[in-house]
Amino acid sequence: MDDRIPWVVKYRPRRVEEVVGQDEAKRVLREWLKQWAEGRVPERRAALLHGPPGVGKTSLVEALAREFDFDVLELNASDYRRKSDIERTVSVAARKKPLFKKGLLILMDEVDGIDPKADEGGIEALVEVVKVTGNPLVFTANDPWREQLRPLRELCLMVEFKGLSETAIVSLLQRICESERLQCDREALKLIAERSIGDARAAVNDLQAVAEGYGRVTLDIVRALIKGRDKSLDIWRTLNNIVYARQAWMAKKAVTQSEIDYETLITWLNDNIPKKYTEPEDLYRAYEALSRATLQLTRSKTTGEWSLLQYVFDLLGPGVTFARTSGTISKERYGFPEKIRLAMQLRTVREIREKLAEQLARNVLASKSIVKNEIIPYLTIIFRNTSNPVMAARIAIGYRFDKETVKFLAGPNADNIIKTIEKIRRAKPEEVKNEKIEERVEVKKQPKVKEEKTVKDAKSKSTGSLDKFLKRS
Amino acid sequence: MSVAELLWVEKYRPRTLDDIINQKEVVERLKVFVKERSMPHLLFAGPPGTGKTTAAHALAHDLYGENYRQYMLELNASDERGINVIREKVKEFARSRAPEGVPFKVILLDESDNMTGDAQQALRRLMELYTASTRFILVANYPSKIIDPIQSRCAFFRFTPLGKDDVVGRLRYIAEREGVDFDEEALDTIYEISEGDMRRAINVLQAASVMGRVTVETVYKVVGMARPREVREMLKLALSGDFMGARSLMRKLMLEYGLSGEDIVRQVHREIFSQEIKIPEELRVMIADYLGEVHFRLVEGSDDDIQLSALLAWLALMGRRLK
């Protein structure tokens, strides 16, 4: 077998006994499928398996199907969510007879991803299939309590899957270690298990990441790796645990147990909430929570009252989770925050504007805020005018703007202005030189102290929170 | 024609009291101070762009001559970080060399109405402490926001919005000096738009002159462009329910124009009462109300991007309820 194969695939349970925990679910589901296998149609023709990600929903279905010699037709609800898709695929499959095996089981993943608006009629179509299906039909969902799933819930056998205990995950990891002939510390496995928050898939992925990098799994390595390694997996899991949490304590745990610092988490939430929450009401409520979280964070920092932080966690976790009342969770992937990419750029632009405001404030005798609101907008018009770059160029010479300032003011027109400045300089180099001296007399009188201070301020700012925050991420 | 150019508001600023053509009463009284080499603390109050700061500089110029700025401490209450910074600067300045022939130096405190009541109390003590060697000129838009004990210590000067003749006359003078091609009605339009604010009037003229002949049309164009149209676009997108579109415009405003969260909130506030945005009147009030909350959170130091995203998400929700 290729060693590169993900362990989550390699060690996917093949027999029901290999599925970790979930005894109740195993019993109920086996009973249900047995009826189908014996040719009896159960009272409920479909089962809805629900629970957090990575606890064995799909695995158990596959293992049971193998046990009863059923074929499995796996569909992902995100691929077949509209009424017409469902009629084309699921309805057809529901009437099909298996070719070689005893029966055919239809497994449809992630039905909570069907959007009541965008995928109108999807749920209704499924309900119709459930009523008449001649083959066992199994749905899975992270969150089955959505309003739009209600008609489906009423018809389905509801099977709950619980988050896995740490002990269960540790013993799973131990088995893998033995099979891979890996040297594994029990403490290291415990740490991995603890961080997985009941998600076996995540734990196995982490184990593989450590093992492949170091050939052994010790507590030190796990600790170090967790700190130093690319955190995207961690972030992904934290976001997912927040978004899909079913109870407030779960969402809170997702935040407090995450290795991600809260400022990074806030940035990721800021960019990913609109990807996952599509309902305007949900989106607003989530942002209100996020906004209040950042407010509490600032308050806790400025007052030094760290006990206020717990409210930040409340708002980031449950606040975001339960902002969602009706809408579905979009299947769109989590993305790297645009804001982090833009942060550097943004800081530069702001510094240029600030510097310009400070310079002009002295010249036009007004506050920086007046300059920003009453002067810079007009300068921008002058500098962005494409047909007449001369005035802008002359002003740039008059105030000795540097290139960055010209770029800031002129935007896409910057090259035009810069070329014109150079043209003027070449044509009348002497005059440009004299002008500089002549026009700047007043500035020379200004004490230099203020400028030095600005530089200092800018420096102290740059070592401030933004830098830290960039480093952390 | 010289190669370098300045902003016309700087280039055509009156340098002496004699240069100031309007605010006649104020100027006459200030000239007496110059003549007698004596003056009390002063409070200059009036709308923006009516020449308050310019008059203070002209006064100092006439008192101390060309190099007046070494005898004048220029502070801006909205730019300085708190009363303690102001106190330190005043202390240091009071110790500096005294001018010849004038028994005091001048401390110009611009936008002093932006100071809190507590800060003003501290300021009052400063004024008393250094009254032997310095005179304060406090500049404010709203004199009612200056506490009574300060008002009673100052000679009060009210600056009124400039009249049409003054503004149009000045604009014509500048336009002729600069060789700008213009329509007479365009200058009237600039006056109307600038509402007696000379600074804005001159800025509009200079920006319009870049576009060729200054006409009523180019004036309106400049006025429209002075507010990034992205603010309005952003509002419209948000109200139509397109949160992501609105947010990418918001980020563009921050990145390309360097606007801060507060800048954007201010501009949104202006836009929501414009007829360009077609929404029920009561929604304008609701938006203003929520905007105030966002503004407050920003002032408290909360993250720009998140607060504005919250605003846009709220607008998207309001927009959908309208449908």
Side-chain angles (χ1 to χ4, degrees), chain A residues 283-300:
Chain A
L283 190 63
Y284 159 65
R285 285 159 51 102
Y287 264 111
E288 186 61 24
L290 201 55
S291 146
R292 298 192 65 81
T294 60
L295 195 61
Q296 287 290 4
L297 185 58
T298 312
R299 284 176 182 160
S300 114

Side-chain angles (χ1 to χ4, degrees), chain A residues 99-156:
Chain A
L99 287 176
F100 306 108
K101 300 208 172 170
K102 279 206 187 123
L104 174 69
L105 183 148
I106 303 158
L107 173 61
M108 191 162 195
D109 263 333
E110 307 179 284
V111 280
D112 45 350
I114 296 176
D115 189 309
K117 293 215 172 52
D119 313 322
E120 215 189 331
I123 296 289
E124 286 76 6
L126 282 181
V127 165
E128 288 315 306
V129 182
V130 172
K131 284 179 183 160
V132 299
T133 182
N135 292 316
L137 201 50
V138 177
F139 303 112
T140 72
N142 289 130
D143 177 9
W145 308 114
R146 299 288 169 64
E147 180 50 29
Q148 75 267 20
L149 290 181
R150 192 171 44 82
L152 207 54
R153 274 202 307 270
E154 283 170 356
L155 289 174
C156 286

Side-chain angles (χ1 to χ4, degrees), chain A residues 210-376:
Chain A
V210 178
E212 285 190 343
Y214 291 83
R216 61 188 197 285
V217 184
T218 65
L219 189 56
D220 289 349
I221 295 174
V222 173
R223 276 217 189 103
L225 220 55
I226 280 163
K227 282 218 182 74
R229 137 180 90 104
D230 168 29
K231 294 248 177 86
S232 61
L233 186 70
D234 246 346
I235 291 177
W236 183 88
R237 189 183 317 133
T238 305
L239 292 176
N240 225 24
N241 285 336
I242 293 173
V243 169
Y244 290 100
R246 279 171 300 125
Q247 279 160 359
W249 65 267
M250 291 177 175
K252 193 163 174 176
K253 198 172 161 193
V255 175
T256 52
Q257 294 206 337
S258 171
E259 291 285 324
I260 316 300
D261 66 89
Y262 33 79
E263 277 166 343
T264 307
L265 180 59
I266 287 170
T267 313
W268 280 78
L269 282 170
N270 181 26
D271 267 48
N272 283 291
I273 284 174
K275 290 190 174 160
K276 302 306 268 187
Y277 290 8
T278 48
E279 190 64 24
E281 179 94 38
D282 299 351
L283 190 63
Y284 159 65
R285 285 159 51 102
Y287 264 111
E288 186 61 24
L290 201 55
S291 146
R292 298 192 65 81
T294 60
L295 195 61
Q296 287 290 4
L297 185 58
T298 312
R299 284 176 182 160
S300 114
K301 277 184 188 163
T302 51
T303 58
E305 209 36 81
W306 294 104
S307 58
L308 291 175
L309 267 185
Q310 53 184 315
Y311 304 109
V312 177
F313 301 145
D314 294 343
L315 287 163
L316 288 183
V320 169
T321 310
F322 300 102
R324 189 165 48 79
T325 49
S326 53
T328 50
I329 301 173
S330 151
K331 286 293 160 202
E332 199 178 327
R333 289 230 195 115
Y334 297 108
F336 192 82
E338 196 189 356
K339 203 186 148 194
I340 294 180
R341 263 196 305 111
L342 299 181
M344 288 294 282
Q345 223 178 324
L346 187 62
R347 198 173 66 192
T348 319
V349 174
R350 289 224 175 126
E351 270 169 15
I352 293 169
R353 184 174 180 243
E354 204 59 30
K355 220 176 71 198
L356 178 61
E358 188 152 335
Q359 181 193 346
L360 292 180
R362 263 179 276 142
N363 288 306
V364 304
L365 310 183
S367 67
K368 284 195 276 181
S369 104
I370 293 267
V371 172
K372 285 177 197 164
N373 293 302
E374 291 290 333
I375 304 283
I376 290 179

Side-chain angles (χ1 to χ4, degrees), chain B residues 128-143:
Chain B
E128 277 162 9
L129 204 55
Y130 297 106
T131 203
S133 60
T134 62
R135 294 293 179 278
F136 279 78
I137 305 178
L138 307 183
V139 174
N141 289 143
Y142 305 101

Side-chain angles (χ1 to χ4, degrees), chain B residues 16-32:
Chain B
T16 67
L17 288 172
D18 278 331
D19 289 346
I20 301 177
I21 46 164
N22 47 20
Q23 313 291 0
K24 288 206 174 60
E25 265 176 55
V26 170
V27 171
E28 287 314 310
R29 284 168 68 196
L30 296 179
K31 280 181 180 169
V32 175

Side-chain angles (χ1 to χ4, degrees), chain B residues 34-104:
Chain B
V34 175
K35 210 175 122 203
E36 299 184 346
R37 300 273 181 254
S38 153
M39 68 178 214
H41 298 306
L42 312 178
L43 173 57
F44 290 1
T50 50
K52 300 179 297 295
T53 313
T54 297
H57 277 262
L59 172 65
H61 173 274
D62 290 1
L63 277 170
Y64 310 119
E66 275 305 316
N67 293 338
Y68 71 93
R69 267 180 138 164
Q70 55 183 309
Y71 301 118
M72 181 158 129
L73 174 64
E74 298 166 59
L75 297 171
N76 196 300
S78 21
D79 293 346
E80 304 299 337
R81 263 156 278 195
I83 186 70
N84 289 334
V85 178
I86 292 179
R87 184 184 294 123
E88 284 310 307
K89 288 189 176 171
V90 168
K91 213 160 108 187
E92 199 178 316
F93 175 71
R95 259 184 299 177
S96 70
R97 196 164 57 89
E100 269 170 51
V102 185
F104 55 84

